[in-house]
Amino acid sequence: DVKVTQSSRYLVKRTGEKVFLECVQDMDHENMFWYRQDPGLGLRLIYFSYDVKMKEKGDIPEGYSVSREKKERFSLILESASTNQTSMYLCASSLQVWSVEQYFGPGTRLTVT
Amino acid sequence: GENVEQHPSTLSVQEGDSAVIKCTYSDSASNYFPWYKQELGKGPQLIIDIRSNVGEKKDQRIAVTLNKTAKHFSLHITETQPEDSAVYFCAASTQGGSEKLVFGKGMKLTVNP
């Protein structure tokens, strides 16, 4: 079974802090994704990566950056957390970029106070 | 860009009834349509998908239909059970150019015993 793990289930940070969300997948997938999930808005793509050290912006990249130094690990970085970044963050991976199943992690609920 | 609309946003049914979730998409180039189920406290999980060269696909109690002309696709769940209670997301993906998987806003299904 594909397993996507996220470093924290719950995280509370203060405004202005630098926040790292880590995601690891164990299926040697080329592609990894970061989504944000908010009530009434569904899932929105923040960034994705189709190879090590490669990244592409999604629909809502502002205020976020990513890092993919190793194939199995994809990090989401909030350079200076703000209250409007309070959300559920979901990481996913897939064998191909699109048109195939994406495997999701359990999510990290981030609260910025 | 692609826009995916999902209706209704909530649905409550009695155990044993059928449930139908409808989605429309805007980009006629979309050719992959997955459905994800998200249970409480978990990440979304693919339950069924359909490609644009197929009009219908079934897997036990669930089926998906696609109408390319009208640009809508639907998820049908028959003989619903309490464990079907979850949030369901539809999505659409294009190929070529700016590939992207765009999700609907989700529908919360409650199956009452």
Side-chain angles (χ1 to χ4, degrees):
Chain A
D1 279 353
V2 175
K3 193 166 185 183
V4 179
T5 57
Q6 295 184 228
S7 52
S8 305
R9 293 301 302 271
Y10 300 94
L11 209 53
V12 180
K13 296 292 181 180
R14 294 193 181 275
T15 301
E17 279 193 82
K18 190 169 185 176
V19 181
F20 292 87
L21 302 183
E22 306 285 341
C23 176
V24 177
Q25 51 93 4
D26 66 359
M27 283 300 292
D28 201 35
H29 283 170
E30 300 291 337
N31 309 285
M32 299 187 74
F33 311 83
W34 274 107
Y35 291 90
R36 172 176 170 161
Q37 182 177 13
D38 298 289
L41 297 178
L43 278 68
R44 293 180 292 167
L45 181 64
I46 305 172
Y47 267 98
F48 71 97
S49 168
Y50 52 89
D51 201 353
V52 175
K53 297 190 185 295
M54 304 302 288
K55 61 184 180 183
E56 291 284 344
K57 292 180 180 180
D59 294 317
I60 51 165
E62 297 78 19
Y64 304 94
S65 62
V66 291
S67 172
R68 186 133 180 238
E69 296 297 318
K70 292 184 178 181
K71 191 175 185 180
E72 67 272 16
R73 188 180 299 270
F74 192 34
S75 302
L76 181 69
I77 303 157
L78 286 68
E79 293 290 342
S80 177
S82 63
T83 54
N84 63 12
Q85 292 179 310
T86 291
S87 187
M88 170 69 81
Y89 290 89
L90 291 164
C91 175
S93 72
S94 70
L95 197 55
Q96 298 173 30
V97 179
W98 306 116
S99 302
V100 293
E101 179 173 4
Q102 293 188 11
Y103 296 85
F104 284 84
T108 295
R109 183 164 293 282
L110 173 67
T111 302
V112 182
T113 61
Chain B
E2 176 69 281
N3 183 46
V4 177
E5 299 284 342
Q6 186 171 353
H7 303 280
S9 58
T10 61
L11 180 63
S12 182
V13 299
Q14 290 299 120
E15 183 176 359
D17 287 351
S18 295
V20 180
I21 311 167
K22 299 179 181 181
C23 287
T24 60
Y25 61 97
S26 60
D27 189 346
S28 57
S30 292
N31 57 6
Y32 175 66
F33 306 91
W35 286 88
Y36 284 81
K37 176 184 180 182
Q38 186 177 27
E39 298 175 337
L40 200 61
K42 297 183 179 180
Q45 184 175 12
L46 182 75
I47 54 171
I48 195 168
D49 56 13
I50 192 168
R51 299 183 187 275
S52 58
N53 57 348
V54 175
E56 183 176 1
K57 184 176 179 180
K58 286 184 179 180
D59 183 4
Q60 300 182 339
R61 294 187 298 109
I62 60 173
V64 58
T65 58
L66 171 65
N67 183 326
K68 287 188 293 182
T69 303
K71 289 191 280 189
H72 67 71
F73 56 114
S74 301
L75 179 72
H76 305 252
I77 307 173
T78 58
E79 299 172 27
T80 54
Q81 301 167 4
E83 51 265 39
D84 294 329
S85 297
V87 177
Y88 291 81
F89 292 96
C90 62
S93 174
T94 58
Q95 279 187 332
S98 56
E99 293 93 341
K100 193 183 296 185
L101 187 64
V102 178
F103 285 84
K105 291 180 170 45
M107 189 213 76
K108 184 176 180 181
L109 174 65
T110 303
V111 181
N112 301 299

